[in-house]
Amino acid sequence: MSEAIYPAPFAAATVAPLPTFAEATRVWLRIGCLSFGGPAGQIALLHREVVDERNWISDRRFLHALNFCTLLPGPEAQQLAIYLGWLLHGARGGAVAGLLFVVPGALVMLALSVTYVVFGEIPVVAALFFGIKSAVLVLVIDALLRVGRRALKTRFAWILAAVAFAALFFLTVPFPVVVLAAGLVGYLVPNGFVGVSHGAVTHTAPALLDSVLEGDPGRAGRMARSARRGGIAAAVLWLLPFAFLQRGGFFTEIAWFFSKMAVVTFGGAYAVLAYVAQQAVTHYHWLSPSEMLAGLGLAETTPGPLILVLQFVGFLAGYRESGISGGVAASALTLWMTFAPCFAFVFLGAPLVERLQGNRQLSGALAAITASVVGVIANLSVWFALHSLFQTTMRVQTGWLSFDAPVMSSLDPWALLLSAIAAIALVRLKLGIPRTLGICAVAGVLLRLVHGAI
């Protein structure tokens, strides 16, 4: 990274430098290893690390980046990591942040996939992750509270968040429709939401990036050039496998199928899983419905984007085609086709989004989207609570309303106990995410052992 040029004579002494590339890489690796809890928990973790604890990036820039990434197909939390990495260290920073966000979880998923096909049931792993899932529920609720406090600055924002939650939970309106409608409302009535984008910063001192940009105005242009080069390179790499794969062969089929998934996954993993399950199970016959559910369970309890369930689907397809080696190859190809376009989308769009930060109507649109995202996270929190704390749910249909409700007799008291332990450890005792997850994981194994689940 080039040395910043500060206005003479005193700014160089008063503006702290950005973190070194090595320091940032260690933080991205930490995030990649701890990014449990789906997009809500992962966004909360990113905010905690780069805004709350280190003050590298301001609340305003963080929410502005989140708004943009929410509009993109693909895993928004990983794309947010790419965006933040780019803001700090250009295209190489974005590339490292995005890769480290995925690689730890992908390695875990590969190991679990091999274990699944070799040994079938994995009770010890299930017991370990039983505790983690209970802790993840607390992380998701913590994300809801954190993002809500920062995003809901006006009455309009509160109303829009509530409407977004109701549309998703009670009316099953598709996620892209909710987001696009929110953006349109914010564009037309920017004064109702502008406080969301330009709310008060939680730190008394300006974020490091804002201070550096003020002292080095030319840095934004250099960052934009690096992003364009990175976006073109990512797009070329995304399509490169098609040049080497046999036309009409099994791996070409894998590449084509997951390439399509990469550009239609608006709304995150849950929005696309129904389509993936239908195609992979009933059309291609790569796996059974129960195996699809097993893959989703593994993806929910490993670090990284939930869309890593696609890696499990690709692995089983390759395994059935040519054994373990075929599974590993198909798994790698699935990852490539799923995540390479994420880098292209962010790198090609981020410079424009940064340049338009001062545009009032765009700020209103993106701020309204952030308010709707609070409703989305609330919907995910309820969904996660239903499936973490209750063993059975039922679908309620009454007129226009359709939603999942818990079967109260199926409440899992041990899951509730572990969630309470996680809340005390994380919120009251402030032990941090690693210790909280570790405590709950060990407690989950002990509980399952004592009560004969293993």
Side-chain angles (χ1 to χ4, degrees):
M1 174 180 165
S2 59
E3 190 173 320
I5 302 172
Y6 301 104
F10 56 90
T14 59
V15 177
L18 287 175
T20 65
F21 185 73
E23 182 182 355
T25 298
R26 288 192 293 271
V27 172
W28 301 132
L29 178 59
R30 168 186 166 84
I31 291 172
C33 293
L34 297 176
S35 56
F36 295 91
Q42 292 157 0
I43 291 168
L45 176 62
L46 283 165
H47 191 280
R48 185 192 300 267
E49 293 288 339
V50 303
V51 178
D52 289 338
E53 295 189 358
R54 293 174 174 81
N55 196 26
W56 289 350
I57 291 170
S58 65
D59 258 342
R60 177 179 59 84
R61 285 188 182 277
F62 184 93
L63 288 175
H64 194 78
L66 174 59
N67 295 339
F68 168 63
C69 294
T70 303
L71 292 175
L72 298 175
E76 63 268 35
Q78 188 231 4
Q79 289 166 330
L80 179 60
I82 297 171
Y83 197 127
L84 299 177
W86 167 72
L87 284 175
L88 292 173
H89 294 108
R92 68 168 184 160
V96 168
L99 286 172
L100 291 180
F101 194 88
V102 172
V103 169
L107 293 176
V108 173
M109 178 59 82
L110 178 60
L112 294 178
S113 299
V114 173
T115 303
Y116 183 85
V117 299
V118 173
F119 299 106
E121 296 297 325
I122 44 177
V124 174
V125 174
L128 183 73
F129 288 132
F130 173 74
I132 291 178
K133 284 185 68 173
S134 301
V136 163
L137 172 60
V138 176
L139 294 182
V140 173
I141 295 174
D142 181 62
L144 174 63
L145 297 175
R146 284 174 174 271
V147 176
R149 281 195 297 267
R150 289 166 173 82
L152 305 182
K153 300 292 187 181
T154 69
R155 182 181 302 175
F156 282 107
W158 277 95
I159 293 173
L160 189 58
V163 170
F165 171 79
L168 290 165
F169 186 76
F170 293 109
L171 302 176
T172 61
V173 176
F175 175 89
V177 174
V178 173
V179 170
L180 292 175
L184 179 61
V185 171
Y187 185 84
L188 295 175
V189 194
N191 291 339
F193 302 93
V194 72
V196 180
S197 288
H198 302 283
V201 178
T202 57
H203 299 278
T204 55
L208 292 181
L209 180 63
D210 289 348
S211 299
V212 169
L213 286 173
E214 184 178 353
D216 181 14
R219 188 175 188 275
R222 298 194 300 274
M223 288 168 56
R225 288 193 295 273
S226 77
R228 285 191 291 270
R229 291 194 297 268
I232 294 171
V236 171
L237 290 172
W238 175 29
L239 300 175
L240 190 62
F242 288 108
F244 298 96
L245 295 173
Q246 177 184 357
R247 291 187 62 184
F250 167 76
F251 286 102
T252 299
E253 199 171 51
I254 288 284
W256 176 243
F257 177 75
F258 289 108
S259 289
K260 288 190 295 182
M261 292 304 97
V263 298
V264 301
T265 51
F266 292 96
Y270 292 115
V272 78
L273 282 178
Y275 178 74
V276 171
Q278 181 184 24
Q279 293 295 307
V281 174
T282 64
H283 179 70
Y284 291 104
H285 305 290
W286 287 336
L287 71 172
S288 69
S290 62
E291 289 171 334
M292 185 71 195
L293 289 173
L296 178 58
L298 294 177
E300 284 180 331
T301 50
T302 56
L306 184 59
I307 205 70
L308 282 173
V309 66
L310 300 186
Q311 180 189 2
F312 180 79
V313 174
F315 178 87
L316 284 191
Y319 174 76
R320 302 233 154 92
E321 180 72 14
S322 52
I324 294 291
S325 61
V328 173
S331 173
L333 182 59
T334 299
L335 288 171
W336 186 289
M337 306 313 294
T338 300
F339 290 104
C342 296
F343 294 88
F345 297 152
V346 174
F347 285 149
L348 293 176
L352 176 62
V353 172
E354 280 293 305
R355 194 161 61 246
L356 293 176
Q357 281 202 66
N359 184 290
R360 190 170 185 78
Q361 287 180 303
L362 178 64
S363 295
L366 293 180
I369 289 170
T370 297
S372 72
V373 166
V374 175
V376 173
I377 298 175
N379 178 57
L380 283 175
S381 299
V382 173
W383 188 93
F384 214 123
L386 287 173
H387 292 83
S388 296
L389 301 180
F390 297 90
Q391 298 174 355
T392 308
T393 61
M394 60 181 178
R395 193 68 181 172
V396 177
Q397 185 79 44
T398 171
W400 289 90
L401 304 181
S402 177
F403 58 93
D404 288 331
V407 176
M408 299 306 296
S409 60
S410 69
L411 175 67
D412 187 338
W414 304 118
L416 183 61
L417 173 63
L418 289 175
S419 293
I421 292 173
I424 293 171
L426 185 68
V427 179
R428 185 61 180 259
L429 302 180
K430 301 188 183 303
L431 297 182
I433 293 176
R435 289 182 181 179
T436 300
L437 291 175
I439 290 170
C440 289
V442 172
V445 171
L446 292 176
L447 282 175
R448 288 297 179 94
L449 285 171
V450 169
H451 290 276
I454 302 178

